[in-house]
Amino acid sequence: MNIRLIRSYLLDLYKLGAGEKMIKAPTTELANFLGVSQQSVSRILNKLHTQDYIYKELRNRVLWIRITEKGLMEIEDYIKYVNDVYVNPGRFVFEGYVSTGLGEGAYYMSRKQYVTQFESILGFKPYPGTLNVRLKNPFYIYQNRLLRRLNGYKIKGFRTKERVFGDVKAFKAIINDRIDGAVIYAERSIYGFDMLEVIAPEYLRGFFKLKDGDKIKVVIYLNME
Amino acid sequence: MNIRLIRSYLLDLYKLGAGEKMIKAPTTELANFLGVSQQSVSRILNKLHTQDYIYKELRNRVLWIRITEKGLMEIEDYIKYVNDVYVNPGRFVFEGYVSTGLGEGAYYMSRKQYVTQFESILGFKPYPGTLNVRLKNPFYIYQNRLLRRLNGYKIKGFRTKERVFGDVKAFKAIINDRIDGAVIYAERSIYGFDMLEVIAPEYLRGFFKLKDGDKIKVVIYLNME
DNA sequence: ATTACTAGGGAGCGAGTAT
DNA sequence: TATACTCGCTCCCTAGTAA
């Protein structure tokens, strides 16, 4: 079942109180509330149950349901997303923690072919290194996944006689509300969705006196205009 | 197109900033963001456009879009609903304004066949009359529409030799945080979704010293347990 | 490059109905 | 009364491809 529909139905069940306790959920009655047929309610509840979003049991031939932990997490993430949509259209706010990467960043960011493109496309000459920001909040990880799907500014890869350097995607960003930089996604990143790679014209660790584990805020602005 | 999907897609477009201005929306790029194929984006945007949820225009063969007033209203209602879901599971909060109905309420509420049922099912003997509460906020109207679909407590209709009295549906409610009463929905109500009919053991206009236009709060608790 | 048409498959839907 | 099966229909999706 489509995740968009799953969220929508889970939300309605939550409204009925199924997030807190077992509730009586006769399919005929839910049909009215959800705006679908009794048969569809039956099918929907069974799918939600199969996919572990709700508990479900028959008591005296009547259904009782309750949303599972997995279902609650899905709802909470979604609610956060919805609110953030409203507060920050066109903006993606992240908070994460300074982290030491594998040192690759410096190597990449000092390649002349990349540097000249960053300079002309983003408008600044990046400091030769990246700041790794680890995301812990599942919502930020979700957002990062979304964002990574967008195209952003494209920095073309190239090849030397030693090896191939892949394409890089960049989004303009503001770090700690002060420095204009960017978040980059290497085509074949070694990091998962819980890591942001940030570049800037300054040495960020120096500028903000950062050490590992320090909290940092990164706001990405989309360039869809 | 399914309203659940419409909301979901509109929300994502809003996140990209399409609620505030025309944004460049190449279908290939949106495909990544929405998690569907380029072809689906084309189809989805066309449907949203046909149904007046977005503006859409081609500039140099690239799509630009913006969410319409209708789309924005849909989003706002939905966001309110989502937040309210989280804050008030199992509870439906309404705020409306005291209004004079057509005087039918008193006639109905003094039928003995109704009164005895109300007394045994809801646990109080209703004052012979209903308080009409007019809803103005579109969100409350939306909520009322949702609620009217649920079954609630069923009060059976009856017939006299003069005429037929239809079924009535009731939900327990608390009025102005003080009086335990109920909201009733007559099977063939003469009112639209912008009106709540409230009953209580007391004469509410007297108890709260209400006059037409006074604000009043009604909280409905679902009985799905 | 784009957008968007077509066709085929599959998911979601409700009516009828078995239990 | 309930729930949930089958079945046919519609809607939604993607791949291929035209413009």
Side-chain angles (χ1 to χ4, degrees):
Chain A
M1 190 158 148
N2 187 323
I3 186 66
R4 292 174 190 271
L5 289 181
I6 288 176
R7 283 175 178 160
S8 182
Y9 287 125
L10 278 180
L11 210 61
D12 284 355
L13 297 178
Y14 193 95
K15 180 64 188 175
L16 294 176
E20 298 172 328
K21 56 182 189 303
M22 292 297 280
I23 62 164
K24 197 176 167 184
T27 51
T28 39
E29 184 158 354
L30 276 189
N32 290 317
F33 185 64
L34 299 178
V36 295
S37 70
Q38 175 272 322
Q39 293 87 341
S40 289
V41 173
S42 176
R43 178 176 41 78
I44 289 163
L45 292 184
N46 280 325
K47 287 211 175 156
L48 291 177
H49 178 58
T50 308
Q51 293 177 55
D52 231 32
Y53 289 111
I54 61 169
Y55 305 111
K56 179 166 160 293
E57 86 189 44
L58 271 174
R59 296 183 190 167
N60 296 324
R61 298 191 176 168
V62 176
L63 272 179
W64 288 65
I65 61 167
R66 176 174 186 162
I67 299 173
T68 61
E69 262 318 303
K70 181 181 170 190
L72 289 176
M73 277 177 54
E74 190 63 47
I75 291 174
E76 274 168 39
D77 260 23
Y78 186 54
I79 288 175
K80 266 194 214 152
Y81 175 65
V82 169
N83 282 316
D84 192 69
V85 160
Y86 202 55
V87 177
N88 299 316
R91 272 177 90 212
F92 287 74
V93 179
F94 291 91
E95 286 187 338
Y97 302 88
V98 172
S99 148
T100 296
L102 299 172
E104 284 214 336
Y107 179 63
Y108 280 91
M109 294 307 296
S110 53
R111 296 308 97 189
K112 204 189 297 175
Q113 294 91 329
Y114 279 141
V115 172
T116 52
Q117 287 187 81
F118 278 125
E119 208 168 345
S120 68
I121 293 172
L122 298 176
F124 64 85
K125 184 177 175 180
Y127 173 88
T130 64
L131 181 74
N132 290 23
V133 177
R134 180 168 302 281
L135 306 174
K136 292 185 180 166
N137 184 320
F139 173 60
Y140 293 136
I141 296 172
Y142 168 73
Q143 254 192 172
N144 193 26
R145 193 178 288 126
L146 271 184
L147 207 59
R148 204 145 154 182
R149 288 175 149 168
L150 283 177
N151 288 337
Y153 293 105
K154 190 171 176 184
I155 282 81
K156 288 209 191 75
F158 54 94
R159 51 173 65 216
T160 63
K161 57 184 175 235
E162 291 94 25
R163 51 162 297 182
V164 176
F165 291 81
D167 289 347
V168 174
K169 203 161 72 182
F171 294 96
K172 286 183 181 174
I174 293 180
I175 296 96
N176 276 352
D177 302 316
R178 303 228 351 235
I179 296 272
D180 287 311
V183 168
I184 59 171
Y185 296 101
E187 196 179 28
R188 288 185 208 149
S189 173
I190 51 173
Y191 300 115
F193 291 111
D194 64 341
M195 192 74 94
L196 286 183
E197 286 196 87
V198 179
I199 62 172
E202 318 279 341
Y203 176 51
L204 292 169
R205 278 183 185 261
F207 187 92
F208 290 118
K209 298 187 179 27
L210 297 169
K211 54 186 190 307
D212 275 14
D214 284 356
K215 203 168 183 179
I216 190 166
K217 180 177 167 193
V218 178
V219 178
I220 294 178
Y221 291 87
L222 293 186
N223 51 299
M224 304 200 75
E225 54 184 327
Chain B
M1 190 157 146
N2 187 324
I3 186 66
R4 293 174 189 272
L5 290 181
I6 289 177
R7 285 173 177 160
S8 182
Y9 289 126
L10 277 180
L11 210 62
D12 284 354
L13 296 178
Y14 192 95
K15 181 62 189 178
L16 293 177
E20 299 173 327
K21 54 181 190 303
M22 292 297 279
I23 61 164
K24 196 175 167 185
T27 52
T28 39
E29 184 158 353
L30 276 189
N32 289 318
F33 185 64
L34 299 177
V36 294
S37 69
Q38 175 272 321
Q39 294 87 340
S40 288
V41 173
S42 176
R43 178 176 42 78
I44 289 162
L45 292 183
N46 280 325
K47 287 210 175 158
L48 290 177
H49 178 57
T50 308
Q51 293 176 57
D52 231 33
Y53 288 110
I54 61 169
Y55 305 110
K56 180 166 160 292
E57 87 187 44
L58 272 173
R59 297 184 190 166
N60 295 324
R61 297 189 176 169
V62 175
L63 272 179
W64 289 65
I65 61 167
R66 175 175 186 162
I67 299 173
T68 61
E69 263 318 302
K70 181 181 171 190
L72 289 176
M73 278 177 56
E74 190 62 47
I75 291 175
E76 274 168 39
D77 260 24
Y78 186 55
I79 288 175
K80 268 194 211 154
Y81 175 66
V82 168
N83 283 317
D84 192 68
V85 161
Y86 202 56
V87 176
N88 299 317
R91 271 178 92 212
F92 287 74
V93 180
F94 291 91
E95 287 188 338
Y97 302 88
V98 172
S99 148
T100 296
L102 299 173
E104 283 214 337
Y107 178 63
Y108 280 89
M109 294 308 295
S110 53
R111 295 309 94 189
K112 205 191 296 176
Q113 293 91 328
Y114 279 142
V115 172
T116 53
Q117 287 188 79
F118 278 126
E119 209 168 344
S120 69
I121 293 172
L122 298 176
F124 64 85
K125 182 177 175 182
Y127 173 87
T130 64
L131 181 73
N132 291 22
V133 176
R134 180 167 301 281
L135 307 174
K136 292 184 181 166
N137 183 320
F139 174 60
Y140 294 136
I141 296 172
Y142 169 73
Q143 256 194 170
N144 193 27
R145 192 178 289 127
L146 270 184
L147 207 58
R148 204 145 155 182
R149 288 174 149 170
L150 281 177
N151 287 337
Y153 295 104
K154 190 172 177 181
I155 282 80
K156 289 207 191 76
F158 55 93
R159 53 172 62 215
T160 63
K161 55 182 175 238
E162 291 94 23
R163 50 161 299 181
V164 176
F165 291 81
D167 289 347
V168 174
K169 204 161 69 180
F171 294 96
K172 287 183 180 173
I174 294 181
I175 296 95
N176 275 351
D177 302 316
R178 303 228 352 234
I179 297 272
D180 286 312
V183 167
I184 59 172
Y185 295 101
E187 197 179 28
R188 288 185 208 151
S189 173
I190 51 173
Y191 300 115
F193 290 111
D194 63 341
M195 193 74 94
L196 285 183
E197 285 197 87
V198 179
I199 62 171
E202 318 278 343
Y203 175 52
L204 291 169
R205 279 183 184 262
F207 188 91
F208 290 118
K209 300 187 178 27
L210 296 169
K211 52 186 193 308
D212 275 15
D214 283 357
K215 203 169 182 178
I216 189 166
K217 181 178 167 192
V218 178
V219 179
I220 293 179
Y221 290 87
L222 293 186
N223 52 301
M224 305 202 74
E225 54 183 328

Short mmCIF file of all heavy atoms in Angstrom, two decimals, chain A residues 174-220:
data_model
loop_
_atom_site.label_atom_id
_atom_site.label_comp_id
_atom_site.label_asym_id
_atom_site.label_seq_id
_atom_site.Cartn_x
_atom_site.Cartn_y
_atom_site.Cartn_z
N ILE A 174 22.95 28.02 4.75
CA ILE A 174 23.51 28.97 5.71
C ILE A 174 23.83 28.20 6.98
O ILE A 174 22.98 27.47 7.51
CB ILE A 174 22.53 30.13 5.99
CG1 ILE A 174 22.38 30.96 4.72
CG2 ILE A 174 23.02 30.99 7.14
CD1 ILE A 174 21.44 32.13 4.87
N ILE A 175 25.06 28.34 7.45
CA ILE A 175 25.51 27.56 8.59
C ILE A 175 25.48 28.45 9.84
O ILE A 175 26.03 29.56 9.83
CB ILE A 175 26.95 27.01 8.35
CG1 ILE A 175 26.92 26.02 7.19
CG2 ILE A 175 27.47 26.31 9.60
CD1 ILE A 175 27.28 26.62 5.86
N ASN A 176 24.83 27.95 10.86
CA ASN A 176 24.67 28.69 12.13
C ASN A 176 24.21 30.12 11.91
O ASN A 176 24.62 31.02 12.65
CB ASN A 176 25.98 28.66 12.92
CG ASN A 176 26.10 27.38 13.75
OD1 ASN A 176 25.15 26.60 13.84
ND2 ASN A 176 27.27 27.16 14.33
N ASP A 177 23.36 30.32 10.92
CA ASP A 177 22.76 31.63 10.62
C ASP A 177 23.79 32.69 10.24
O ASP A 177 23.44 33.88 10.20
CB ASP A 177 21.94 32.15 11.83
CG ASP A 177 20.83 31.19 12.23
OD1 ASP A 177 20.15 30.69 11.32
OD2 ASP A 177 20.66 30.95 13.44
N ARG A 178 25.03 32.31 9.97
CA ARG A 178 26.04 33.35 9.73
C ARG A 178 26.81 33.17 8.44
O ARG A 178 27.07 34.14 7.74
CB ARG A 178 27.03 33.40 10.90
CG ARG A 178 26.35 33.64 12.23
CD ARG A 178 26.94 34.69 13.11
NE ARG A 178 28.21 35.27 12.78
CZ ARG A 178 29.26 35.29 13.60
NH1 ARG A 178 29.17 34.70 14.78
NH2 ARG A 178 30.36 35.91 13.24
N ILE A 179 27.22 31.95 8.17
CA ILE A 179 28.11 31.75 7.03
C ILE A 179 27.34 31.18 5.84
O ILE A 179 26.62 30.19 5.97
CB ILE A 179 29.23 30.75 7.41
CG1 ILE A 179 30.10 31.33 8.53
CG2 ILE A 179 30.06 30.39 6.20
CD1 ILE A 179 31.25 32.16 8.06
N ASP A 180 27.52 31.79 4.67
CA ASP A 180 26.93 31.25 3.45
C ASP A 180 27.82 30.15 2.90
O ASP A 180 28.97 30.39 2.54
CB ASP A 180 26.79 32.35 2.38
CG ASP A 180 25.68 33.31 2.71
OD1 ASP A 180 24.57 32.82 3.02
OD2 ASP A 180 25.91 34.52 2.67
N GLY A 181 27.28 28.96 2.83
CA GLY A 181 28.05 27.83 2.32
C GLY A 181 27.16 26.96 1.47
O GLY A 181 26.26 27.46 0.78
N ALA A 182 27.38 25.67 1.52
CA ALA A 182 26.56 24.75 0.74
C ALA A 182 26.62 23.36 1.35
O ALA A 182 27.55 23.01 2.08
CB ALA A 182 27.05 24.70 -0.71
N VAL A 183 25.59 22.58 1.05
CA VAL A 183 25.60 21.16 1.38
C VAL A 183 25.85 20.42 0.09
O VAL A 183 25.25 20.74 -0.94
CB VAL A 183 24.26 20.73 2.00
CG1 VAL A 183 24.16 19.21 2.07
CG2 VAL A 183 24.10 21.33 3.39
N ILE A 184 26.76 19.47 0.10
CA ILE A 184 27.05 18.75 -1.14
C ILE A 184 26.74 17.26 -0.98
O ILE A 184 26.83 16.69 0.11
CB ILE A 184 28.52 18.93 -1.58
CG1 ILE A 184 29.48 18.42 -0.48
CG2 ILE A 184 28.81 20.37 -1.93
CD1 ILE A 184 30.92 18.37 -0.93
N TYR A 185 26.34 16.69 -2.08
CA TYR A 185 26.10 15.25 -2.14
C TYR A 185 26.97 14.67 -3.25
O TYR A 185 26.77 14.97 -4.42
CB TYR A 185 24.63 14.95 -2.43
CG TYR A 185 23.69 15.41 -1.35
CD1 TYR A 185 22.97 16.60 -1.50
CD2 TYR A 185 23.51 14.67 -0.19
CE1 TYR A 185 22.11 17.03 -0.51
CE2 TYR A 185 22.65 15.09 0.80
CZ TYR A 185 21.95 16.27 0.64
OH TYR A 185 21.09 16.70 1.62
N ALA A 186 27.94 13.89 -2.86
CA ALA A 186 28.77 13.23 -3.87
C ALA A 186 27.96 12.10 -4.50
O ALA A 186 27.17 11.44 -3.83
CB ALA A 186 30.04 12.69 -3.23
N GLU A 187 28.15 11.91 -5.77
CA GLU A 187 27.37 10.92 -6.52
C GLU A 187 27.43 9.57 -5.84
O GLU A 187 26.42 8.90 -5.66
CB GLU A 187 27.92 10.83 -7.95
CG GLU A 187 26.99 10.15 -8.93
CD GLU A 187 27.64 10.13 -10.31
OE1 GLU A 187 28.91 10.13 -10.38
OE2 GLU A 187 26.91 10.12 -11.30
N ARG A 188 28.63 9.17 -5.49
CA ARG A 188 28.75 7.90 -4.78
C ARG A 188 29.27 8.15 -3.38
O ARG A 188 30.42 7.82 -3.06
CB ARG A 188 29.71 6.97 -5.53
CG ARG A 188 29.10 6.44 -6.80
CD ARG A 188 30.01 5.44 -7.45
NE ARG A 188 29.79 5.42 -8.90
CZ ARG A 188 30.73 5.15 -9.78
NH1 ARG A 188 31.96 4.88 -9.38
NH2 ARG A 188 30.45 5.14 -11.06
N SER A 189 28.41 8.73 -2.58
CA SER A 189 28.83 9.08 -1.23
C SER A 189 29.05 7.82 -0.40
O SER A 189 28.38 6.81 -0.57
CB SER A 189 27.76 9.94 -0.57
OG SER A 189 28.09 10.15 0.79
N ILE A 190 30.01 7.90 0.48
CA ILE A 190 30.24 6.77 1.38
C ILE A 190 29.36 6.89 2.61
O ILE A 190 29.28 5.98 3.41
CB ILE A 190 31.72 6.71 1.81
CG1 ILE A 190 32.16 8.08 2.35
CG2 ILE A 190 32.60 6.28 0.66
CD1 ILE A 190 33.54 8.07 2.96
N TYR A 191 28.67 8.03 2.75
CA TYR A 191 27.86 8.24 3.94
C TYR A 191 26.40 7.91 3.70
O TYR A 191 25.91 7.97 2.58
CB TYR A 191 27.98 9.69 4.42
CG TYR A 191 29.39 10.08 4.77
CD1 TYR A 191 30.06 11.05 4.03
CD2 TYR A 191 30.07 9.46 5.82
CE1 TYR A 191 31.37 11.41 4.34
CE2 TYR A 191 31.37 9.82 6.13
CZ TYR A 191 32.02 10.78 5.39
OH TYR A 191 33.31 11.13 5.69
N GLY A 192 25.70 7.58 4.76
CA GLY A 192 24.26 7.31 4.68
C GLY A 192 23.45 8.59 4.80
O GLY A 192 24.00 9.69 4.71
N PHE A 193 22.18 8.43 5.05
CA PHE A 193 21.30 9.59 5.12
C PHE A 193 21.42 10.33 6.46
O PHE A 193 20.74 11.32 6.67
CB PHE A 193 19.85 9.17 4.89
CG PHE A 193 19.58 8.74 3.49
CD1 PHE A 193 19.31 7.41 3.19
CD2 PHE A 193 19.61 9.66 2.45
CE1 PHE A 193 19.07 7.03 1.89
CE2 PHE A 193 19.36 9.29 1.15
CZ PHE A 193 19.08 7.96 0.86
N ASP A 194 22.26 9.83 7.34
CA ASP A 194 22.39 10.51 8.63
C ASP A 194 23.59 11.45 8.66
O ASP A 194 24.03 11.87 9.71
CB ASP A 194 22.49 9.48 9.77
CG ASP A 194 23.74 8.64 9.65
OD1 ASP A 194 24.31 8.58 8.54
OD2 ASP A 194 24.13 8.04 10.66
N MET A 195 24.11 11.76 7.47
CA MET A 195 25.28 12.65 7.45
C MET A 195 25.11 13.74 6.39
O MET A 195 24.72 13.46 5.27
CB MET A 195 26.54 11.83 7.13
CG MET A 195 27.82 12.57 7.37
SD MET A 195 28.22 12.76 9.11
CE MET A 195 29.30 11.32 9.33
N LEU A 196 25.38 14.98 6.79
CA LEU A 196 25.44 16.09 5.84
C LEU A 196 26.90 16.45 5.62
O LEU A 196 27.69 16.47 6.57
CB LEU A 196 24.75 17.33 6.41
CG LEU A 196 23.23 17.41 6.48
CD1 LEU A 196 22.83 18.78 7.02
CD2 LEU A 196 22.60 17.17 5.13
N GLU A 197 27.26 16.76 4.37
CA GLU A 197 28.60 17.27 4.11
C GLU A 197 28.50 18.74 3.74
O GLU A 197 27.86 19.10 2.76
CB GLU A 197 29.25 16.49 2.97
CG GLU A 197 29.70 15.09 3.39
CD GLU A 197 30.68 14.51 2.38
OE1 GLU A 197 31.89 14.77 2.51
OE2 GLU A 197 30.23 13.81 1.47
N VAL A 198 29.14 19.56 4.55
CA VAL A 198 28.99 21.00 4.41
C VAL A 198 30.30 21.62 3.94
O VAL A 198 31.37 21.26 4.42
CB VAL A 198 28.59 21.63 5.76
CG1 VAL A 198 28.46 23.14 5.65
CG2 VAL A 198 27.29 21.01 6.26
N ILE A 199 30.18 22.55 2.99
CA ILE A 199 31.36 23.31 2.58
C ILE A 199 31.08 24.79 2.74
O ILE A 199 29.93 25.21 2.82
CB ILE A 199 31.78 23.02 1.11
CG1 ILE A 199 30.66 23.44 0.15
CG2 ILE A 199 32.12 21.55 0.93
CD1 ILE A 199 31.06 23.37 -1.31
N ALA A 200 32.14 25.58 2.80
CA ALA A 200 31.98 27.02 3.01
C ALA A 200 33.27 27.71 2.59
O ALA A 200 34.30 27.05 2.43
CB ALA A 200 31.69 27.31 4.48
N PRO A 201 33.22 29.03 2.40
CA PRO A 201 34.47 29.72 2.06
C PRO A 201 35.44 29.75 3.23
O PRO A 201 36.64 29.96 3.05
CB PRO A 201 34.01 31.14 1.68
CG PRO A 201 32.64 31.28 2.26
CD PRO A 201 32.06 29.92 2.35
N GLU A 202 34.92 29.58 4.44
CA GLU A 202 35.77 29.64 5.65
C GLU A 202 36.07 28.22 6.15
O GLU A 202 35.39 27.27 5.80
CB GLU A 202 35.02 30.35 6.79
CG GLU A 202 34.24 31.57 6.40
CD GLU A 202 35.16 32.77 6.30
OE1 GLU A 202 36.26 32.69 6.87
OE2 GLU A 202 34.79 33.76 5.65
N TYR A 203 37.05 28.15 7.03
CA TYR A 203 37.30 26.93 7.78
C TYR A 203 36.33 26.94 8.95
O TYR A 203 36.52 27.65 9.94
CB TYR A 203 38.75 26.90 8.27
CG TYR A 203 39.09 25.72 9.14
CD1 TYR A 203 38.78 24.42 8.73
CD2 TYR A 203 39.71 25.90 10.38
CE1 TYR A 203 39.08 23.33 9.53
CE2 TYR A 203 40.02 24.81 11.19
CZ TYR A 203 39.71 23.54 10.76
OH TYR A 203 40.01 22.47 11.55
N LEU A 204 35.26 26.17 8.83
CA LEU A 204 34.15 26.28 9.78
C LEU A 204 34.53 25.90 11.21
O LEU A 204 34.11 26.52 12.18
CB LEU A 204 32.97 25.42 9.31
CG LEU A 204 32.28 25.93 8.04
CD1 LEU A 204 31.31 24.89 7.50
CD2 LEU A 204 31.55 27.24 8.31
N ARG A 205 35.34 24.85 11.32
CA ARG A 205 35.77 24.44 12.67
C ARG A 205 36.50 25.57 13.38
O ARG A 205 36.35 25.77 14.58
CB ARG A 205 36.69 23.21 12.59
CG ARG A 205 35.93 21.90 12.45
CD ARG A 205 36.90 20.72 12.46
NE ARG A 205 36.20 19.45 12.22
CZ ARG A 205 35.86 18.61 13.19
NH1 ARG A 205 36.14 18.87 14.44
NH2 ARG A 205 35.24 17.49 12.88
N GLY A 206 37.27 26.32 12.59
CA GLY A 206 37.98 27.45 13.17
C GLY A 206 37.05 28.62 13.45
O GLY A 206 37.02 29.17 14.54
N PHE A 207 36.25 28.97 12.46
CA PHE A 207 35.39 30.15 12.56
C PHE A 207 34.44 30.07 13.76
O PHE A 207 34.27 31.02 14.50
CB PHE A 207 34.58 30.31 11.28
CG PHE A 207 33.80 31.58 11.20
CD1 PHE A 207 34.33 32.71 10.62
CD2 PHE A 207 32.51 31.65 11.72
CE1 PHE A 207 33.61 33.90 10.55
CE2 PHE A 207 31.78 32.84 11.67
CZ PHE A 207 32.33 33.96 11.08
N PHE A 208 33.82 28.88 13.92
CA PHE A 208 32.86 28.72 15.02
C PHE A 208 33.48 28.05 16.25
O PHE A 208 32.78 27.74 17.20
CB PHE A 208 31.64 27.90 14.56
CG PHE A 208 30.76 28.61 13.58
CD1 PHE A 208 30.57 28.11 12.29
CD2 PHE A 208 30.11 29.78 13.94
CE1 PHE A 208 29.74 28.77 11.39
CE2 PHE A 208 29.27 30.43 13.04
CZ PHE A 208 29.09 29.93 11.77
N LYS A 209 34.78 27.80 16.23
CA LYS A 209 35.47 27.11 17.32
C LYS A 209 34.76 25.79 17.65
O LYS A 209 34.35 25.56 18.80
CB LYS A 209 35.54 27.99 18.57
CG LYS A 209 36.34 29.29 18.35
CD LYS A 209 36.53 30.03 19.65
CE LYS A 209 37.32 31.31 19.51
NZ LYS A 209 37.26 31.98 18.20
N LEU A 210 34.59 24.98 16.63
CA LEU A 210 33.84 23.74 16.79
C LEU A 210 34.73 22.57 17.14
O LEU A 210 35.85 22.47 16.65
CB LEU A 210 33.12 23.39 15.47
CG LEU A 210 32.05 24.37 14.98
CD1 LEU A 210 31.64 24.02 13.55
CD2 LEU A 210 30.85 24.34 15.91
N LYS A 211 34.21 21.70 18.01
CA LYS A 211 34.87 20.42 18.21
C LYS A 211 33.83 19.31 18.03
O LYS A 211 32.62 19.58 17.98
CB LYS A 211 35.54 20.35 19.59
CG LYS A 211 34.61 20.66 20.73
CD LYS A 211 35.41 20.71 22.05
CE LYS A 211 34.43 20.77 23.22
NZ LYS A 211 33.44 21.87 23.10
N ASP A 212 34.29 18.10 17.88
CA ASP A 212 33.36 16.99 17.64
C ASP A 212 32.24 16.96 18.67
O ASP A 212 32.48 17.12 19.86
CB ASP A 212 34.11 15.65 17.67
CG ASP A 212 34.73 15.33 16.31
OD1 ASP A 212 34.79 16.25 15.46
OD2 ASP A 212 35.12 14.19 16.11
N GLY A 213 31.03 16.74 18.18
CA GLY A 213 29.89 16.64 19.07
C GLY A 213 29.15 17.95 19.27
O GLY A 213 28.02 17.97 19.77
N ASP A 214 29.77 19.08 18.86
CA ASP A 214 29.09 20.36 18.99
C ASP A 214 27.88 20.41 18.07
O ASP A 214 27.90 19.90 16.95
CB ASP A 214 30.04 21.51 18.63
CG ASP A 214 31.04 21.80 19.75
OD1 ASP A 214 30.91 21.16 20.81
OD2 ASP A 214 31.92 22.65 19.55
N LYS A 215 26.85 21.07 18.57
CA LYS A 215 25.62 21.19 17.78
C LYS A 215 25.80 22.25 16.70
O LYS A 215 26.44 23.27 16.93
CB LYS A 215 24.47 21.59 18.71
CG LYS A 215 23.11 21.22 18.16
CD LYS A 215 22.05 21.37 19.25
CE LYS A 215 20.69 20.94 18.73
NZ LYS A 215 19.67 21.07 19.78
N ILE A 216 25.21 22.00 15.55
CA ILE A 216 25.34 22.96 14.47
C ILE A 216 24.05 22.98 13.66
O ILE A 216 23.35 21.98 13.55
CB ILE A 216 26.57 22.61 13.58
CG1 ILE A 216 26.86 23.73 12.60
CG2 ILE A 216 26.37 21.30 12.85
CD1 ILE A 216 28.23 23.57 11.96
N LYS A 217 23.73 24.17 13.17
CA LYS A 217 22.48 24.35 12.42
C LYS A 217 22.80 24.63 10.96
O LYS A 217 23.65 25.46 10.65
CB LYS A 217 21.71 25.53 13.03
CG LYS A 217 20.38 25.83 12.36
CD LYS A 217 19.68 26.97 13.10
CE LYS A 217 18.52 27.53 12.31
NZ LYS A 217 18.07 28.83 12.89
N VAL A 218 22.11 23.93 10.09
CA VAL A 218 22.31 24.12 8.65
C VAL A 218 20.95 24.34 8.01
O VAL A 218 20.05 23.53 8.17
CB VAL A 218 22.98 22.88 8.03
CG1 VAL A 218 23.15 23.06 6.53
CG2 VAL A 218 24.31 22.59 8.69
N VAL A 219 20.80 25.45 7.32
CA VAL A 219 19.53 25.72 6.64
C VAL A 219 19.77 25.75 5.14
O VAL A 219 20.58 26.54 4.65
CB VAL A 219 18.93 27.06 7.10
CG1 VAL A 219 17.63 27.33 6.34
CG2 VAL A 219 18.69 27.05 8.59
N ILE A 220 19.07 24.88 4.44
CA ILE A 220 19.22 24.80 2.99
C ILE A 220 18.09 25.57 2.31
O ILE A 220 16.94 25.44 2.70
CB ILE A 220 19.21 23.33 2.53
CG1 ILE A 220 20.45 22.63 3.07
CG2 ILE A 220 19.10 23.22 1.02
CD1 ILE A 220 20.53 21.17 2.71
#
